[in-house]
Amino acid sequence: MAPAQEQLEGEQIVASNEDGANCIEKSRVTVIGSGNWGSVAAKLIASNTLKLDSFHDEVRMWVYEEVLPSGNKLTNVINETNENVKYLPGIKLGKNVVADPDLENAVKDATMLVFVTPHQFMDAICKRLVGKIKPDVEAISLIKGMEVKMEGPCMISSLISDQLGINCCVLMGANIANEIAVEKFSEATVGFRENKEVAERWVLLFSSPYFQVTAVQDVEGVELCGTLKNIVAIAAGLVDGLEMGNNTKAAIMRIGLREMRAFSKLMFSSVRDSTFFESCGVADLITTCMGGRNRKVAEAFAKNQGKRSFDELEAELLQGQKLQGVSTAKEVYAVLSNRGWLEMFPLFTTVHEICVGRLPPTAIVEYSEHKPKCCLA
Amino acid sequence: MAPAQEQLEGEQIVASNEDGANCIEKSRVTVIGSGNWGSVAAKLIASNTLKLDSFHDEVRMWVYEEVLPSGNKLTNVINETNENVKYLPGIKLGKNVVADPDLENAVKDATMLVFVTPHQFMDAICKRLVGKIKPDVEAISLIKGMEVKMEGPCMISSLISDQLGINCCVLMGANIANEIAVEKFSEATVGFRENKEVAERWVLLFSSPYFQVTAVQDVEGVELCGTLKNIVAIAAGLVDGLEMGNNTKAAIMRIGLREMRAFSKLMFSSVRDSTFFESCGVADLITTCMGGRNRKVAEAFAKNQGKRSFDELEAELLQGQKLQGVSTAKEVYAVLSNRGWLEMFPLFTTVHEICVGRLPPTAIVEYSEHKPKCCLA
């Protein structure tokens, strides 16, 4: 039997070969975003698509085009050197990663889309993608951080699903991009809504011996972890700045994890306790409270007795990077206040009140006199 | 109505006063042990018995008598200066703490016994207490660390209950004694078996604004946390010594917490997942993996590529203190091996194999290629 080939609107069906095997349609992966974490994600994926028969080798990566100081375009340099010299220098992405500055072109043949851009760009990106993607495409968001509005958190996975009419999973975890880039052991959690087979396909695409991925049926729980942990990191940084020691810091992290869980469950009744034992929960919290920019700026804030603002310290310490904990704390505070839940969340509440100067940094270890009336076990 | 008084075998019933109030029998507390943590426990308790009407002010503390370099007896110095100059210098215990070198005398009137000695002394202490305590006395163990025998873990709470025929709770948590001594904010968990009122009484006795205590109905889960965390601390120390970074360390701690949970549940079906979110679980694990002697010695072991033994490094680094993680790992390994569970516990297993030199320290981040077949979610 001769191999059959079909081309339907850019959709490539890989036909059976002469042995009658390989009748499966191969997946085509496009990574939307090419920053530090996006580049590492492309590297992880590209090493797997080479090994796995059910994926096309090529991984397309949409790159927001920049002209480098050398005068060369970033996409050209990536495609020639196989390195993202700007955002992940020194790391080979894999020869099968193709940088593409044209968003529409990058996505048109994809059956699996990996979103990994700063969260504030996602609304505009989704608008540009309407009508440009294949209808049955599967998506996953690696984007941590979201706005929490009065009516509830603006999940990036929901934004993608709603605007594009496609299913969207999330992948979160203790994932410092530069450590994974040099293949240090790490873990991650995929959150999925209903389709377990799809989740398993994402797990397959990302997993490696040094990057172990587990799927849990809890999109909202997994995604909220990636945002709420930043409030806890502010608290942990304050404890560091006050030099309260490991004991107090561990207690504050534990209370923070409890409030992350409680808040998530109040927002979405489907959220599972067990999610917070996964990499997206306790492990990402630990990483973020040990290193990370929220912790760092909060430490400086406490050391200065709150006399220099978060904005000022952020500008000085982060060289243009933004910290998210302060704005997330503010947004979550508004929700808690509006619903009469402030007393159930002493840590979240106190972090915000410290950030805006209503309470001194020391309040982070004093709030506890008001025992939380939280309804959760 | 004149106050009535009754003395029955040393049992003091506090009778109604002239207003007919205070008919309740007041509790008398004795702390058995006077090391670093025992002294801090006595301080916490003594400040509460002064405030709470349902407790006698006096807190008796059994002190293993020592003659100090000054020639004075430790008990005399404690009673004169109100300080345990040897094990908690510089901290006032409270004038109502009475050091007593006579174990039998110290316990004879007590209705609440607080056990806080090194675990290897408990068998002998229990034997000495048989027939010397009031029959309805309540006990609590603050002792972390236990032997894990082939037939199962030797819970200190069970040893106390079985040998003395009394109920026994446990109190565990992220509790570095010297930090609590200076009133830095911390938390703890009381584990109880059935009687919630008794657990609440222990919570009342230990709680303060800087020491927040929560009760959970899970003696075994709480108590096992205090022992199993030491295996994870060895793993965390190895990661530190290998300079693998925060990401890997967080992953290893998370996997460790999962194995603590899985092992505890296999040993006792009553163990609850939620216990591991409490101070005794995640918070104590964080503290122990950030500081602590197990972590410290394991870090040195990895830095020396396993060429210097744990025994040697322990002697050099801990000045006579003992580390428990190595022996606990060995004991747990024997149980896992015996029951055919080694593959379900890659972290516990690997820690032991590294400790005994069968695997190199780097194996701690390589084991993960063998995905655990753990039955737990």
Side-chain angles (χ1 to χ4, degrees):
Chain A
M1 196 167 78
Q5 272 198 344
E6 239 180 322
Q7 286 280 340
L8 292 168
E9 289 190 289
E11 183 178 20
Q12 187 177 1
I13 310 245
V14 173
S16 56
N17 63 16
E18 292 190 355
D19 300 321
N22 287 353
C23 292
I24 317 146
E25 186 186 350
K26 290 193 180 197
S27 301
R28 279 188 184 274
V29 185
T30 291
V31 178
I32 298 173
S34 57
N36 192 228
W37 183 211
S39 301
V40 176
K43 174 182 186 277
L44 278 167
I45 292 167
S47 80
N48 282 327
T49 56
L50 287 184
K51 288 178 213 149
L52 300 166
D53 281 344
S54 58
F55 293 88
H56 278 283
D57 287 353
E58 183 187 294
V59 176
R60 206 153 270 265
M61 177 168 75
W62 175 60
V63 176
Y64 182 85
E65 188 68 287
E66 299 180 48
V67 177
L68 299 173
S70 62
N72 294 319
K73 287 183 175 171
L74 180 55
T75 49
N76 289 342
V77 176
I78 292 173
N79 289 331
E80 282 157 21
T81 65
N82 226 244
E83 271 182 49
N84 186 336
V85 291
K86 180 148 186 189
Y87 297 105
L88 192 66
I91 304 291
K92 294 288 175 195
L93 301 181
K95 289 185 176 161
N96 49 329
V97 174
V98 177
D100 188 337
D102 179 339
L103 181 60
E104 282 187 35
N105 189 61
V107 301
K108 73 176 168 32
D109 296 332
T111 58
M112 296 177 87
L113 292 176
V114 178
F115 289 92
V116 52
T117 69
H119 75 96
Q120 40 303 13
F121 302 161
M122 276 306 295
D123 194 55
I125 288 173
C126 283
K127 287 197 168 71
R128 287 178 60 190
L129 291 181
V130 174
K132 312 294 182 187
I133 55 173
K134 291 155 72 75
D136 55 348
V137 65
E138 286 289 338
I140 195 164
S141 164
L142 275 54
I143 300 164
K144 289 182 184 173
M146 64 180 80
E147 252 188 283
V148 181
K149 291 193 179 159
M150 203 61 84
E151 55 276 18
C154 305
M155 317 293 285
I156 304 295
S157 59
S158 300
L159 176 78
I160 293 168
S161 283
D162 295 349
Q163 293 214 16
L164 302 176
I166 59 178
N167 183 42
C168 187
C169 294
V170 296
L171 181 145
M172 307 274 146
N175 300 147
I176 298 173
N178 288 330
E179 294 188 9
I180 300 166
V182 293
E183 308 194 356
K184 288 186 175 175
F185 176 66
S186 185
E187 295 186 303
T189 313
V190 163
F192 67 98
R193 206 170 292 280
E194 272 150 22
N195 192 328
K196 198 175 177 196
E197 286 68 42
V198 169
E200 280 167 356
R201 212 150 160 72
W202 287 118
V203 168
L204 202 64
L205 186 63
F206 280 95
S207 293
S208 88
Y210 65 89
F211 193 72
Q212 299 224 335
V213 187
T214 306
V216 300
Q217 189 171 4
D218 183 4
V219 170
E220 286 87 1
V222 174
E223 193 170 350
L224 278 166
C225 281
T227 296
L228 297 173
K229 61 158 191 170
N230 289 325
I231 308 179
V232 188
I234 298 273
L238 295 171
V239 172
D240 283 347
L242 297 167
E243 297 178 10
M244 299 292 292
N246 279 339
N247 230 14
T248 303
K249 188 166 175 183
I252 291 296
M253 288 165 67
R254 187 200 82 80
I255 295 169
L257 187 63
R258 182 187 63 196
E259 294 193 11
M260 287 166 60
R261 194 160 52 105
F263 185 78
S264 301
K265 289 174 81 166
L266 284 169
M267 289 289 121
F268 299 94
S269 60
S270 58
V271 167
R272 298 177 178 193
D273 280 332
S274 56
T275 298
F276 298 82
F277 283 129
E278 296 295 335
S279 179
C280 62
V282 64
D284 196 13
L285 183 72
I286 291 171
T287 301
T288 310
C289 290
M290 293 300 147
R293 51 187 108 146
N294 288 285
R295 192 213 63 80
K296 186 178 180 179
V297 177
E299 182 182 34
F301 184 83
K303 278 195 191 300
N304 287 285
Q305 289 98 44
K307 286 174 192 150
R308 299 182 63 197
S309 72
F310 269 96
D311 282 347
E312 188 186 342
L313 292 165
E314 180 183 18
E316 181 178 307
L317 295 171
L318 298 186
Q319 288 98 35
Q321 284 192 300
K322 289 289 169 191
L323 94 176
Q324 212 144 45
V326 173
S327 56
T328 304
K330 182 182 177 181
E331 293 164 11
V332 167
Y333 186 93
V335 172
L336 298 177
S337 172
N338 184 253
R339 305 198 186 195
W341 292 344
L342 288 176
E343 288 201 348
M344 286 160 57
F345 294 89
L347 188 134
F348 284 178
T349 300
T350 306
V351 166
H352 173 64
E353 290 183 336
I354 292 170
C355 288
V356 296
R358 275 208 295 276
L359 288 175
T362 51
I364 196 64
V365 287
E366 284 157 11
Y367 80 92
S368 49
E369 298 194 35
H370 314 288
K371 195 138 191 172
K373 292 177 190 157
C374 185
C375 47
L376 292 170
Chain B
M1 199 166 76
Q5 272 199 344
E6 239 180 323
Q7 287 280 341
L8 293 167
E9 291 189 288
E11 183 177 20
Q12 188 180 357
I13 309 247
V14 173
S16 56
N17 63 14
E18 292 188 352
D19 301 322
N22 288 352
C23 294
I24 318 145
E25 186 186 351
K26 290 193 179 196
S27 300
R28 281 187 182 275
V29 184
T30 291
V31 178
I32 298 173
S34 57
N36 192 226
W37 183 211
S39 302
V40 175
K43 175 184 186 273
L44 279 166
I45 292 167
S47 82
N48 282 327
T49 56
L50 287 183
K51 287 178 212 147
L52 300 166
D53 281 344
S54 60
F55 292 89
H56 278 284
D57 287 354
E58 184 186 293
V59 176
R60 208 153 268 266
M61 177 167 76
W62 174 61
V63 176
Y64 183 84
E65 189 67 288
E66 299 180 47
V67 178
L68 298 173
S70 62
N72 294 317
K73 287 182 174 171
L74 180 56
T75 49
N76 291 341
V77 175
I78 293 174
N79 288 331
E80 280 157 23
T81 65
N82 225 243
E83 272 183 46
N84 186 336
V85 292
K86 179 147 186 189
Y87 296 105
L88 192 65
I91 303 292
K92 293 291 175 194
L93 300 181
K95 288 184 179 163
N96 51 328
V97 173
V98 177
D100 188 338
D102 179 340
L103 180 61
E104 282 188 32
N105 188 61
V107 300
K108 74 174 169 28
D109 296 332
T111 58
M112 296 177 86
L113 292 176
V114 178
F115 289 91
V116 51
T117 69
H119 76 96
Q120 35 311 6
F121 302 161
M122 275 306 295
D123 194 53
I125 288 172
C126 284
K127 287 197 168 69
R128 287 178 60 191
L129 291 180
V130 173
K132 312 294 182 187
I133 55 171
K134 291 155 73 72
D136 55 349
V137 65
E138 286 289 338
I140 195 164
S141 165
L142 275 56
I143 300 163
K144 289 181 185 173
M146 65 180 81
E147 254 187 281
V148 181
K149 291 193 178 158
M150 204 59 86
E151 55 275 20
C154 306
M155 318 292 284
I156 304 295
S157 60
S158 301
L159 175 78
I160 293 168
S161 284
D162 295 348
Q163 293 214 16
L164 302 175
I166 59 178
N167 183 41
C168 188
C169 294
V170 295
L171 182 146
M172 307 276 146
N175 301 147
I176 298 173
N178 288 329
E179 294 188 9
I180 300 165
V182 295
E183 308 195 355
K184 287 186 175 175
F185 176 66
S186 184
E187 295 186 302
T189 313
V190 163
F192 67 98
R193 205 169 293 280
E194 272 150 22
N195 192 327
K196 199 178 177 192
E197 286 69 40
V198 168
E200 281 167 356
R201 213 150 159 72
W202 287 118
V203 168
L204 203 63
L205 187 63
F206 279 96
S207 293
S208 88
Y210 64 89
F211 193 71
Q212 300 223 335
V213 187
T214 306
V216 300
Q217 189 171 6
D218 183 3
V219 170
E220 287 86 1
V222 174
E223 193 170 349
L224 278 166
C225 281
T227 295
L228 298 174
K229 62 160 192 171
N230 290 324
I231 308 179
V232 188
I234 299 273
L238 295 170
V239 173
D240 284 346
L242 296 167
E243 296 176 10
M244 299 293 292
N246 279 338
N247 229 15
T248 303
K249 189 167 174 183
I252 292 296
M253 288 166 67
R254 188 199 83 79
I255 294 168
L257 186 64
R258 181 186 65 195
E259 293 192 12
M260 286 167 60
R261 194 159 51 105
F263 185 77
S264 301
K265 289 175 82 167
L266 284 170
M267 289 288 122
F268 299 95
S269 60
S270 59
V271 167
R272 297 177 178 192
D273 280 333
S274 56
T275 298
F276 299 82
F277 282 129
E278 297 295 336
S279 178
C280 62
V282 65
D284 196 13
L285 183 73
I286 292 171
T287 300
T288 309
C289 290
M290 293 301 147
R293 50 187 107 144
N294 288 286
R295 191 213 65 78
K296 187 178 179 179
V297 177
E299 182 183 33
F301 184 84
K303 278 195 191 299
N304 287 285
Q305 289 99 43
K307 287 174 192 149
R308 300 182 62 199
S309 73
F310 270 95
D311 283 346
E312 187 185 343
L313 293 165
E314 181 183 19
E316 180 177 308
L317 296 171
L318 298 186
Q319 288 97 36
Q321 285 191 301
K322 289 287 168 189
L323 95 175
Q324 213 145 44
V326 174
S327 55
T328 304
K330 182 182 177 182
E331 293 164 10
V332 167
Y333 186 93
V335 173
L336 298 177
S337 173
N338 183 253
R339 305 198 186 195
W341 292 345
L342 288 174
E343 287 201 349
M344 286 159 60
F345 294 89
L347 187 133
F348 283 179
T349 300
T350 306
V351 166
H352 173 65
E353 291 183 335
I354 292 170
C355 288
V356 296
R358 273 209 296 276
L359 288 174
T362 50
I364 196 63
V365 287
E366 284 158 9
Y367 81 93
S368 50
E369 296 194 37
H370 314 291
K371 195 139 191 172
K373 291 176 188 157
C374 185
C375 48
L376 291 169

